[in-house]
Amino acid sequence: DDYMNSWKTTKEFPPGLYSHNSMSDDTWTIHSGYRDAKGVLGRMVNQLSNQNNPYKSAMYTMNGYSRMLDGGILTPETIDPGEGVVRFTEFTPLEHDIGNLTGYESESVFPETFASALQKSLISTEQFGADLENSTLESNRSFPRDNNWLGPQLEEVSKVIQLDSTKNNMERAAYYTSIGGFDTHGTVDIADLMQEIDDAVDAFAEEMKYQG
């Protein structure tokens, strides 16, 4: 008992151990116990972009918002597997009006920040969206799709990497993909999920080898 009591007082454990949301936060931030921690990918891209010899960097998400991307100076491009870049469908008819709306300079930093972010995100998604829409893998590789959620995400990642290396001259980038369903409750058998990951990653690995 004395040994166990001394061990308990000298070892530190993450708060909320075995709590789903707490452990997810710890994974996304790699900063256990710090509620205001920024995402680990966001922080990494910041460091790459802010060093003395900065890398041209980018962030992309294939599965919506994730705290892992939070806190970066770059806004991640959102890509929907099968649909491509999520774009503002009314951008063309409203482009002039949006320019007028955001063109005036404000005395407050808040509307200036918003206007700048709005303009950059709209222009970026239009340009990048068009590039990705017209992009196909030079390898013509097929990624697993039937009952496989990860395969289409990694196919989009492959297309973006191909664009980044051949057209955008991107030096470093973060790509966020996600797959769930591991909280099976009624069983500890996750063989099907592991097979889904294996099939998707196998195709992705072969594509990366092809792209060099």
Side-chain angles (χ1 to χ4, degrees):
D1 288 343
D2 290 339
Y3 171 77
M4 290 301 295
N5 288 332
S6 64
W7 182 79
K8 288 179 181 179
T9 57
T10 56
K11 297 291 183 180
E12 293 187 9
F13 296 93
L17 196 62
Y18 302 115
S19 161
H20 291 203
N21 60 329
S22 297
M23 295 182 73
S24 294
D25 285 343
D26 290 346
T27 302
W28 291 326
T29 64
I30 317 296
H31 202 154
S32 176
Y34 181 39
R35 292 184 179 276
D36 296 325
K38 303 302 181 183
V40 62
L41 288 181
R43 300 202 312 267
M44 289 170 67
V45 172
N46 281 355
Q47 291 296 318
L48 291 167
S49 302
N50 289 332
Q51 57 187 358
N52 291 333
N53 295 308
Y55 288 101
K56 184 179 181 182
S57 306
M59 288 196 298
Y60 306 92
T61 172
M62 313 298 149
N63 199 13
Y65 167 78
S66 169
R67 189 174 177 184
M68 189 175 280
L69 302 164
D70 193 24
I73 58 175
L74 301 176
T75 302
E77 299 281 5
T78 301
I79 301 169
D80 185 291
E83 297 293 332
V85 176
V86 180
R87 298 157 75 179
F88 180 40
T89 56
E90 302 298 321
F91 178 73
T92 300
L94 294 176
E95 182 177 6
H96 180 72
D97 295 326
I98 292 172
N100 289 337
L101 182 67
T102 58
Y104 293 100
E105 186 174 351
S106 173
E107 294 180 354
S108 171
V109 67
F110 297 106
E112 278 299 291
T113 302
F114 174 80
S116 175
L118 177 63
Q119 285 181 313
K120 289 179 180 178
S121 62
L122 287 173
I123 293 172
S124 173
T125 53
E126 283 300 302
Q127 294 174 344
F128 177 59
D131 288 342
L132 190 60
E133 188 176 306
N134 297 319
S135 175
T136 57
L137 289 175
E138 295 179 2
S139 66
N140 293 317
R141 189 177 313 283
S142 297
F143 278 71
R145 289 185 170 274
D146 294 338
N147 300 316
N148 194 308
W149 173 241
L150 187 60
Q153 294 182 67
L154 290 180
E155 183 173 359
E156 294 297 332
V157 171
S158 300
K159 291 180 182 178
V160 177
I161 289 176
Q162 182 177 270
L163 273 175
D164 276 351
S165 60
T166 60
K167 182 176 181 179
N168 298 330
N169 298 316
M170 199 65 64
E171 296 178 289
R172 296 291 186 274
Y175 308 88
Y176 176 77
T177 63
S178 177
I179 181 173
F182 289 90
D183 188 12
T184 53
H185 287 279
T187 178
V188 294
D189 183 5
I190 57 172
D192 289 344
L193 284 165
M194 299 306 295
Q195 187 63 54
E196 182 178 346
I197 294 173
D198 189 52
D199 292 342
V201 172
D202 180 62
F204 180 68
E206 292 302 315
E207 176 61 28
M208 291 300 97
K209 293 173 185 176
Y210 179 87
Q211 292 189 27

